[in-house]
Every structure is written in C-alpha cells, then in structure tokens.
C-alpha cells in the first residue's frame, strides 16, 4: 500500500523574527503542513505560544496548521485555537481526564482530531479512542524542546500503532515527532508512519528549503 507522505516542519525551530520568510521557505520547499507546538510550562517544562501566534501564522500561509498541544486541560483552548485558524488539534492522552470527550469536541470545532502519546506511554493507551481520531502521533522524544535525539524504541511503537489502525480499518494519519532527520525518517516510514514532523533537521540545514525534499526522499531509504 502506498500512503501519502506528509512533511510537517515544526515552527518551534523557526526564527520568530523572520517568521514570514521561514514560512515562505517551508512553502517553497514543498511542506505539506506546518506543525505548531503549543507548550504551557506545566505539561512540559517549556513555554511557547498560543492563539495569537496561531492567528499570525494563519495569516501568512494557506498550509494546514497541525497544532500539537503540550498543555494540561487542553479543552480550554479549543475554541480560541479553532477561531485562530488551527486545521487540526492533537492532544496528549496523558494530559486530560476526558480524552474521548475532548477528541469529540475538537471535531465539533471543525478541526481534525489527533491523539498523541509520550515515549513512556504504551500504545495500548490509544486503543479505546482510535476509532474517534483522524491522526495518531507517536512522540519519539520526550516533548518540550527541539533538537533532541530520536528514541530508538519509538520504531516499535510506530509499528504497533500501525497495526492498531489497520486492525480497526482506520485511515487515520500516523505521525511521528522528535529527532526526525535523514537517518531516522526511513525507518519510521517503513514501520508505518506517514506524517513526519521535523524542526532542527530542517531549520539548521545548510539549505532548509531543499532539506524538506531530502527528508521526503529519505522516507524511502532505510539505514
Ligand atoms: C517537541 C516538539 C516537536 C519539536 C521537534 O516537544 O513537539 O515538534 O519541534 O523538534 P525536532 O525535530 O528538532 O526534534
Ligand atoms: Zn510537536
């Protein structure tokens, strides 16, 4: 089966003083989505941005905005983020007492609904909601920062998540986030991932625009 491959540059590694240029670069390089990392300083030990910046990014591009919510009580932000122009909102299974309800609420806001698990959370945590979601995200680093090293055991979790989706006949996207570069992307694709977040490897490349295409090409290369 050949699946559509999506490359989602993470704006966490962009230069916020030149956000317009960096977004234009992502478009020119053929990015499929822009990945927007919202952090609250509680769920993760880092703080980023919220609706105001999502709205700014929305005004600079027509690309889908893949909003990754590393926040406690994510539901308090759904209305503001949807209004600001989020295309999809992905919430952590670890961050809410009401995962099923919250995923349904995301869809009611007209956004795609994603569920994400940390490296320390087993894939089994997804099984009760897999029928509700448009996207499953496997974190391949502990969330909070860009530029961390890929955790190798993530490959097996991608494989398990792919099997889970296939078993229920789900066509949800299977995304991976953290430490994705030319070396790691092929193994993730072979394990069944079809959407790939990349921050450091794109924005620190000698030619960031070309790197997006290089990553896409390397989904076919397993090393
Ligand atoms: C990490 C974020 C990621 C981050 C990935 O907490 O969720 O989206 O930007 O960055 P890289 O690709 O540099 O590991
Ligand atoms: Zn992310």
């Amino acid at each position: 089966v050949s699946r559509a491959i999506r490359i989602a540059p993470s704006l966490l590694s962009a230069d916020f003083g030149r956000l317009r240029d960096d977004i234009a670069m992502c478009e020119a390089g053929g990015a499929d989505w822009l990945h927007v990392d919202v952090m609250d300083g509680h769920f993760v030990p880092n703080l980023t941005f919220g609706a105001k910046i999502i709205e700014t990014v929305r005004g600079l591009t027509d690309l889908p905005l893949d909003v990754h919510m590393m926040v406690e009580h994510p539901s308090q932000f759904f209305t503001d983020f949807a209004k600001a122009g989020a295309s999809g909102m992905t919430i952590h299974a670890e961050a809410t007492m009401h995962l099923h309800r919250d995923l349904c609420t995301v869809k009611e806001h007209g956004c795609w609904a994603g569920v994400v698990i940390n490296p320390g959370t087993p894939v089994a945590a997804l099984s009760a909601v897999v029928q509700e979601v448009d996207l499953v995200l496997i974190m391949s680093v502990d969330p909070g920062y860009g530029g961390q090293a890929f955790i190798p055991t993530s490959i097996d979790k991608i494989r398990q998540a792919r099997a889970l989706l296939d078993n229920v006949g789900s066509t949800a996207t299977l995304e991976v986030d953290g430490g994705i570069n030319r070396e790691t992307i092929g193994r993730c694709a072979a394990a069944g991932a079809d959407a790939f977040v990349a921050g450091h490897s794109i924005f620190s490349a000698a030619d960031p625009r070309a790197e997006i295409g290089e990553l896409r090409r390397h989904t076919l290369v397993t090393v």
Side-chain angles (χ1 to χ4, degrees):
V1 208
S2 83
R3 285 183 291 268
I5 294 294
R6 293 193 174 89
I7 306 291
S10 168
L11 295 181
L12 188 61
S13 289
D15 179 346
F16 275 72
R18 307 173 54 247
L19 194 54
R20 182 189 300 270
D21 298 338
D22 276 359
I23 289 173
M25 179 279 290
C26 290
E27 287 186 351
D32 299 282
W33 296 345
L34 294 179
H35 185 81
V36 181
D37 287 302
V38 176
M39 303 185 189
D40 69 351
H42 297 280
F43 181 70
V44 287
N46 193 11
L47 186 63
T48 57
F49 39 71
K52 172 83 176 163
I53 295 286
I54 295 172
E55 192 179 1
T56 298
V57 173
R58 178 77 290 162
L60 294 170
T61 183
D62 291 328
L63 287 177
L65 302 184
D66 173 34
V67 177
H68 177 192
M69 300 178 65
M70 287 158 276
V71 305
E72 291 175 358
H73 311 298
S75 62
Q76 66 185 305
F77 298 111
F78 292 162
T79 302
D80 286 353
F81 286 10
K83 274 194 195 138
S87 306
M89 293 191 267
T90 298
I91 61 177
H92 274 265
E94 305 87 355
T96 172
M97 298 287 277
H98 298 286
L99 184 59
H100 182 277
R101 174 193 285 151
D102 287 354
L103 289 165
C104 293
T105 308
V106 168
K107 289 187 283 186
E108 285 163 14
H109 281 83
C111 294
W112 80 65
V115 62
V116 47
I117 53 171
N118 282 331
T121 303
V123 171
L126 301 169
S127 62
V129 295
V130 72
Q131 312 259 25
E132 301 296 339
V133 301
D134 305 297
L135 179 146
V136 166
L137 172 55
I138 303 294
M139 286 310 299
S140 42
V141 298
D142 284 294
Y145 303 94
Q148 303 183 85
F150 184 85
I151 298 171
T153 48
S154 311
I155 298 290
D156 193 50
K157 292 179 72 181
I158 294 168
R159 221 175 268 123
Q160 290 176 40
R162 172 49 66 198
L164 179 64
L165 291 170
D166 288 352
N167 282 344
V168 300
S170 169
T171 58
T173 300
L174 180 53
E175 186 176 47
V176 59
D177 182 6
I180 296 298
N181 55 36
R182 293 187 198 186
E183 281 71 48
T184 54
I185 197 168
R187 274 180 289 144
C188 294
D194 51 9
F196 306 88
V197 178
H200 181 78
S201 67
I202 291 175
F203 287 96
S204 71
D207 183 347
R209 171 182 157 159
E211 194 62 22
I212 296 168
E214 281 301 320
L215 289 176
R216 191 185 302 284
R217 199 169 66 77
H218 278 76
T219 58
L220 299 170
V221 181
T222 45
V223 284

